[in-house]
Amino acid sequence: MKIDRFLKAALLGLAVSASPVAMMFATDAAANNLRVVKQGTSRTLDVPMNRAVVVESDVPFAELSIANPGIADISSLSDRTIYVLGKAPGLTTLTLLDAAGKLITNVDVRVAADVSEFKERLRQILPGEKIEVRTANDGIVLSGIVSSSSRLQRALDLAERYAPDRVSNLMSVGGIQQVMLKVRFAEMQRSVSKSLSSSLALNGSVLGNSVGVNGGSGTLNSSGGVGTALGGNVPSVNENAGALLFGFSAGNTQVGLLLEALETKGVVRTLAEPNLVALSGQEAKFLAGGEYPVPVSQDNGAITVEFKPFGIELNFIPRVVDKDLINLELEAAVSAIDPTNGFSVNGFEIDAFSRRETSTTVEMRDGESFAIAGLLQDDFTDDNSQLPWLGDVPVLGALFRSASYQRQQTELVIIITAHLVSPTRGEALSLPTDRIKPPTEKDLFLYGRTAAGTRTPKKGAAGEVAKQDFSGSYGYVLD
């Protein structure tokens, strides 16, 4: 009995100790029975979104399945033909099985946005542009080089119609994108002024009575020409260019006659040519002049100073629209201090400004010019003053009358020229100071020379300018 119980216990312990090994062998056997079928996997099938593709199988199939019906929908037309419809962008797997349930093949189905129509529209709208179109996941990728920023924006706007909010822009803008603007202000002012005035004076006694009569206008004479006419002298302060004096005595009566005449003519020529270069789409500013202090009274009674700029001003924003077509948004002005129209307040002398300015937006091609502003102004003033009643007397009335007229004509033209420019090497540019250097003490004091010779460049644009004298062109040369 004891031996029997011992044998049973030994067999039980052996069985318990051998059970994990048995389970391990069972698991390995089950794993070996499971295998992944990969044979027969075909290449990727590209299906446009919302489009259908019909594919054929070389081997008859009995069963079809799609991994994600939300990406693509399938249906069998026969035992060899499959209808695949793209529904949403993405990647899924199409599986074909035969009648025995064995795998025939797996097909990767990629559904993307339809770019064939987009490519065709792109070629129609932007011919000649080297734009490459690709699909990425559920979007469109654009790459390549376009001729202008406006065409780049057109391509992006068109792509948004096919893939809203899913367009990646890898394009760059080629060509010249820097614009040089040349502005020319040309103004001519002509003025003519004429005046004629007379003064008559009588002083003495007639029939035992004293007589003193002063008549005439003489408004341009601030010294009292009538009184000095009796003394036989031309007035010491006389604004007129010509004064004629007559004086004689008739018995005890002295007669004085002063004729004053004035004729002035003047011509003023104003010319300014500011040039400025800027990148397409960026604002550029130019000011050659200064700032004038203007006192400003504050609410608390304090006086502060504000500075008003004057001189030659130019602000513009260029945009290269299409190859050599340039859109210009510009403001240009020429101003100067005008003391004749100033005024005085609280002990401050404040001058006025004469100013010519324009603000506009135009389009032009490279090298073209535009007259963006012009002014024709003709001011005429006629003045006639006289003493009442006496000035209406025929012939003698001219002695009690003065007449003057002023006429001022102004003609202003503003012309702009735009150029597409690119940088060049520094030695190709010439400066106004390249030919002149300061004199030595010997040249200045002994010979009276204001410059000690010239430095003469031999090559490039600087050499061409150096061949000219001061009557020629200076500055940089634009080909």
Side-chain angles (χ1 to χ4, degrees):
M1 293 296 294
K2 292 182 179 179
I3 296 174
D4 185 50
R5 287 196 299 271
F6 180 77
L7 291 174
K8 289 182 178 180
L11 292 174
L12 179 60
L14 181 62
V16 172
S17 61
S19 60
V21 177
M23 293 176 64
M24 181 179 64
F25 282 113
T27 303
D28 290 343
N32 291 332
N33 292 331
L34 181 63
R35 61 188 180 90
V36 178
V37 180
K38 294 184 179 180
Q39 60 183 359
T41 302
S42 69
R43 62 192 180 104
T44 303
L45 174 64
D46 292 323
V47 180
M49 188 172 60
N50 298 325
R51 296 289 184 90
V53 174
V54 177
V55 294
E56 291 184 352
S57 174
D58 295 336
V59 179
F61 58 85
E63 186 177 350
L64 295 173
S65 65
I66 189 77
N68 189 348
I71 296 178
D73 194 7
I74 59 172
S75 62
S76 59
L77 301 179
S78 66
D79 58 351
R80 293 176 180 266
T81 307
I82 308 170
Y83 180 87
V84 183
L85 173 64
K87 299 175 62 178
L91 183 66
T92 186
T93 303
L94 172 64
T95 303
L96 282 71
L97 303 175
D98 59 10
K102 293 183 178 181
L103 176 66
I104 298 176
T105 185
N106 286 323
V107 180
D108 291 334
V109 179
R110 179 185 291 118
V111 179
D114 184 14
V115 295
S116 59
E117 182 183 357
F118 171 62
K119 291 180 179 179
E120 181 64 24
R121 295 291 179 267
L122 202 60
R123 285 193 295 267
Q124 294 174 356
I125 296 176
L126 300 175
E129 297 293 341
K130 299 179 180 179
I131 301 176
E132 298 181 1
V133 182
R134 298 181 179 89
T135 59
N137 196 7
D138 60 344
I140 296 177
V141 178
L142 301 179
S143 61
I145 300 177
V146 293
S147 59
S148 65
S149 57
S150 62
R151 293 201 166 197
L152 183 146
Q153 188 60 44
R154 292 177 193 173
L156 292 177
D157 293 341
L158 183 61
E160 286 288 337
R161 304 291 296 177
Y162 291 86
D165 300 325
R166 298 190 308 273
V167 179
S168 298
N169 177 24
L170 301 181
M171 296 181 293
S172 59
V173 179
I176 301 176
Q177 297 296 312
Q178 295 180 118
V179 179
M180 187 190 78
L181 184 65
K182 179 180 181 181
V183 182
R184 287 177 289 172
F185 292 84
E187 183 178 12
M188 290 293 297
Q189 296 181 354
R190 296 178 294 270
S191 61
V192 177
S193 176
K194 293 183 179 182
S195 65
L196 177 63
S197 62
S198 61
S199 302
L200 177 65
L202 297 175
N203 192 12
S205 60
V206 177
L207 300 178
N209 296 321
S210 299
V211 177
V213 179
N214 295 333
S217 55
T219 56
L220 295 178
N221 187 357
S222 60
S223 65
V226 175
T228 56
L230 295 176
N233 298 319
V234 177
S236 59
V237 180
N238 189 357
E239 296 183 0
N240 290 342
L244 184 61
L245 177 65
F246 295 96
F248 60 92
S249 298
N252 295 328
T253 303
Q254 294 179 332
V255 180
L257 178 62
L258 177 64
L259 297 178
E260 297 177 290
L262 172 66
E263 180 178 4
T264 59
K265 296 180 181 179
V267 176
V268 178
R269 175 180 180 266
T270 303
L271 181 64
E273 294 189 18
N275 298 337
L276 192 58
V277 178
L279 186 65
S280 176
Q282 301 298 319
E283 183 180 10
K285 297 182 178 181
F286 176 87
L287 173 62
E291 292 185 339
Y292 183 80
V294 178
V296 179
S297 178
Q298 303 297 326
D299 296 337
N300 56 4
I303 301 296
T304 60
V305 176
E306 291 186 0
F307 290 89
K308 301 296 183 181
F310 68 92
I312 303 172
E313 302 176 63
L314 175 61
N315 302 336
F316 81 106
I317 302 176
R319 296 180 180 88
V320 181
V321 179
D322 188 5
K323 293 184 180 179
D324 61 344
L325 184 62
I326 305 170
N327 177 282
L328 290 174
E329 180 181 349
L330 64 97
E331 296 179 359
V334 172
S335 58
I337 298 176
D338 185 10
T340 59
N341 294 322
F343 66 98
S344 178
V345 55
N346 296 332
F348 293 100
E349 295 290 339
I350 303 177
D351 295 327
F353 289 88
S354 61
R355 186 176 178 87
R356 300 288 189 269
E357 67 175 317
T358 181
S359 175
T360 185
T361 301
V362 295
E363 281 190 355
M364 62 181 66
R365 298 193 178 274
D366 179 26
E368 293 182 341
S369 298
F370 222 129
I372 60 171
L375 171 66
L376 289 175
Q377 184 176 354
D378 190 353
D379 296 331
F380 179 79
T381 303
D382 189 358
D383 184 25
N384 188 9
S385 60
Q386 66 180 25
L387 290 177
W389 302 297
L390 294 179
D392 297 328
V393 176
V395 182
L396 294 178
L399 300 177
F400 301 90
R401 189 169 56 237
S402 68
S404 65
Y405 81 89
Q406 295 180 346
R407 186 173 187 180
Q408 184 173 4
Q409 295 174 319
T410 301
E411 183 177 359
L412 171 68
V413 177
I414 302 177
I415 300 175
I416 62 172
T417 305
H419 295 277
L420 292 174
V421 295
S422 57
T424 185
R425 299 185 64 86
E427 57 268 18
L429 300 177
S430 176
L431 298 176
T433 56
D434 286 344
R435 296 182 56 193
I436 305 299
K437 62 181 180 181
T440 62
E441 293 182 358
K442 177 182 178 181
D443 291 332
L444 179 61
F445 295 109
L446 187 58
Y447 299 107
R449 297 172 182 171
T450 58
T454 60
R455 288 170 281 184
T456 307
K458 300 297 183 181
K459 299 180 180 179
E464 294 296 328
V465 175
K467 298 177 183 178
Q468 306 173 9
D469 55 15
F470 281 101
S471 61
S473 300
Y474 269 72
Y476 52 83
V477 178
L478 177 66
D479 293 332

